[in-house]
Amino acid sequence: MATLSYQNLDEQCSYTIELVENKSYTLQLTNLKLKLYETGVGIISLFCENREYVEYEDIQKINEYGRRIYPQFIDKDGGISETKKAFLANKLTLKLGDKTYTDNFDKRELKSTLFTKLLSDESIQSVIDDRMFVMCHYMNNSFAEQLTSFDETKEEYHYETSAEWYRYLFIDGNSLTCQNRNMLKKLISEKTYGRWADYATIYGLSAYSFMLLTNDSDYSIDVLSQHLEKQYYEMMSIVLMQHASILKFSNDVTKISAKNDKEIATNMTKLYKKYIRFTNRLFYRDVTAQEQGIELFNLAQKNISIKENVKDLDNEIEELHRLTMLIEDKESSKRIEILNILGALLLPATLVVGFFGMNVPMITGKDAFFNSDKISISILIFTIIISAFILFYGKRNHEK
C-alpha cells in the first residue's frame, strides 16, 4: 500500500458546496490523502473542518450534497435540474493553494469530473457509486442530550425511535426515507453502537457512513475527534478497500468470462494470484485488540456485507476456475485426438511392413510377383485405402 498526502494546506484551502437554492457551505480543508492498494483500487479522502454551520439541517445538507460526486439520474429532457433539486449540488469547488478544481456537472457523466481533474487521469472510475463515504463528528449539546435520554416508561433511549437520528445516520438530506416505524426502529438498532449512550455519545455505521454524535466537552474535542480522524479513519479505510477490491474482482471475473478460451485461461491465472494475495494480506479479520475497536470493525464489515460478498466472490472465482478447467480439458482432448489420428494413420503401414517384411519370403527375379517395387506400390495403396476408411469412419462418428 502507498499513501500520498497533500502537504502545506493553509487556511485558504477549502471545499465549497453550492446549492441551487442560492446557498453555499465552505469547509476548511485540513488534509487530503490518497491511498493506493495492490488490488488496483485507491481511496481519496478529504479532511474537512466545519466551525461555522452548527444547525442540524445545515449538517444534513453538507453531508448529503457534499458527498455526491456525479448525477444520480438524468431528467426526462436530458438535463439535471431536477437531480440538483433532489440530491446533487449545483457546483463543487476544491481549492488547494493556488489551484482550484470545480465541477458543475455540465458534462452529465456518471463519473467524478472533480477528482479526475484533481488526479489528472480521465481513466479513473468510481468502483462503488455516486456517493462518497462520509465520516462525521457532530458536536451538539442539546441534540446529543435529547437523543441519549432514557425513557424509564418505555425502557429505551430516545435515539432508538428517533427520525432525526435516522436521518443523521443514513444522511437523509431533505426528508426521512423510511416511513415505517417498525422498520425504522429495526434499522436504527442494527446500525447504532450505543455503548457510551449514558455519556451522551453514540456511533452510527451504515454502508455509506460512520457517524458520531456527542456533546462539545473537552473530551469530545480532544479525544473523540482525534480517534475519528486517525484510528477510525484507518479502520474504515481497510473496510472500504476490502469492499472496493471485492467489487473490482467481481468485475474482472465478468470481463474475463467474456473473452475467448485462450485468454480466459491466461487471465484466470493472473486473477487467481491477485485474489490469493488479497485474502492472505489484505482481508483482515481483526485490526485491533481494543474491545470497542473490534466491535466497531465487525459492525462496519457486517453493514457493508464484507464476509457475505467474499463468499459470493469465492463462488464466482470457483465457477470461472471450473470453466478454465473445462477449456483446458477440451484442449487436451483435441491434442489426444490428433495423436490418435496420427497413430491410426501410421498403423496400417506398420502392419503391412511388418507382415511383408517378416512373414513373406522375398522372391527375386525379373518376373517375380513379390519384387520390391510391387510390394512398395501395394503397401502405399493399401495404406491409403485403410487411412481413408479410418478418417471417414472417425469423421462420421464425430458428427454423430
Side-chain angles (χ1 to χ4, degrees), residues 314-328:
D314 284 339
N315 293 332
E316 291 179 23
I317 291 180
E318 179 62 28
E319 289 297 322
L320 185 61
H321 179 67
R322 290 177 184 174
L323 176 61
T324 304
M325 294 303 295
L326 288 174
I327 293 172
E328 291 178 351

Side-chain angles (χ1 to χ4, degrees), residues 18 48 88 101 136 140 143 195 200 209 256 314 354 368 374 389:
E18 297 182 26
C48 301
L88 193 65
Y101 307 90
C136 177
N140 185 311
F143 189 46
R195 173 186 280 266
S209 63
I256 291 173
D314 284 339
K374 290 181 178 180
F389 175 76

Side-chain angles (χ1 to χ4, degrees), residues 110-172:
L110 299 181
K111 66 177 183 179
S112 173
T113 304
L114 181 68
F115 290 112
T116 53
K117 290 178 181 177
L118 175 64
L119 300 173
S120 302
D121 191 343
E122 292 290 334
S123 66
I124 294 175
Q125 295 182 347
S126 174
V127 178
I128 303 176
D129 56 26
D130 63 288
R131 289 166 286 187
M132 288 193 285
F133 190 89
V134 176
M135 298 187 71
C136 177
H137 182 188
Y138 182 30
M139 290 180 281
N140 185 311
N141 287 335
S142 59
F143 189 46
E145 293 294 339
Q146 175 194 348
L147 290 188
T148 56
S149 61
F150 189 77
D151 190 328
E152 298 288 350
T153 305
K154 296 181 180 179
E155 294 187 349
E156 64 182 20
Y157 290 94
H158 184 69
Y159 71 79
E160 295 182 61
T161 56
S162 170
E164 288 79 10
W165 172 244
Y166 181 94
R167 285 185 60 202
Y168 176 66
L169 196 166
F170 288 95
I171 315 180
D172 285 351

Side-chain angles (χ1 to χ4, degrees), residues 220-237:
S220 297
I221 297 172
D222 298 333
V223 178
L224 295 182
S225 288
Q226 292 300 311
H227 284 178
L228 186 74
E229 186 174 342
K230 295 179 180 179
Q231 290 96 322
Y232 296 144
Y233 163 73
E234 295 296 338
M235 181 185 78
M236 290 312 303
S237 294

